[in-house]
Amino acid sequence: MESSTVTPEGTAFPPDLERLGVVAGAKIDIRDLDAMGRRHNFHVFLYFEGDLARDSTLREDLQEYGGVPETERPFVDLNAFLRYAGEEDPLFTRRLDELPLVIEVVAYGELRTEEGKLVPYVKGLMPFLDELTMEDTQTAS
């Protein structure tokens, strides 16, 4: 898998995504990010580890974790995450109304598919469990 990433990954975003508010550091509800990705034809990869999300590229991560089942990787495609969460918890979507899941946008890049097509992507960082707990505690007080 020699050069699967064509546009170098970085914190510079195309103007059309910037107009949507999809820029490095933006915090966007997971449902909104999913809708934007579908409407504007970009993939979203969710990362569970902040250091990995910021210090590596998607290309490196796909190479390193290529033989690891998707459910065991420290990152996942947003569509796969939503599908899995919905299968595991049929009330997942409703729970997002009560406790929105806000993703931090980290980087932008492009991947070349096996068919040779360029596919833009955004890397997002899932909130850490302790951050969710802290926010809940602050909201309750």
Side-chain angles (χ1 to χ4, degrees):
M1 191 155 106
E2 182 138 328
S3 181
S4 62
T5 302
V6 174
T7 297
E9 186 176 288
T11 56
F13 286 72
D16 56 328
L17 292 184
E18 287 181 352
R19 281 190 292 277
L20 295 172
V22 181
V23 296
K27 297 192 180 197
I28 304 173
D29 184 292
I30 195 168
R31 296 166 294 181
D32 295 337
L33 196 54
D34 178 48
M36 283 187 258
R38 290 177 191 277
R39 221 172 310 151
H40 299 280
N41 298 316
F42 63 88
H43 288 267
V44 178
F45 288 86
L46 302 177
Y47 278 70
F48 302 104
E49 298 175 6
D51 290 343
L52 185 67
R54 290 183 179 91
D55 297 339
S56 68
T57 65
L58 180 60
R59 181 181 135 230
E60 293 167 345
D61 298 336
L62 289 170
Q63 288 176 344
E64 182 173 343
Y65 295 97
V68 177
E70 190 171 33
T71 56
E72 296 176 24
R73 295 177 184 177
F75 63 96
V76 66
D77 178 88
L78 173 62
N79 294 324
F81 174 80
L82 292 173
R83 184 175 52 254
Y84 177 79
E87 289 169 359
E88 290 298 308
D89 179 1
L91 299 176
F92 177 72
T93 304
R94 188 178 307 162
R95 292 182 203 285
L96 290 176
D97 290 334
E98 298 166 9
L99 182 64
L101 187 54
V102 178
I103 306 302
E104 178 185 344
V105 176
V106 176
Y108 170 84
E110 290 181 341
L111 289 175
R112 184 175 299 283
T113 66
E114 292 177 9
E115 298 82 31
K117 181 181 173 187
L118 289 180
V119 178
Y121 69 87
V122 169
K123 279 173 50 176
L125 180 60
M126 294 284 287
F128 296 104
L129 190 56
D130 59 324
E131 289 175 357
L132 285 174
T133 306
M134 282 178 41
E135 289 173 10
D136 289 345
T137 305
Q138 291 172 353
T139 304
S141 357

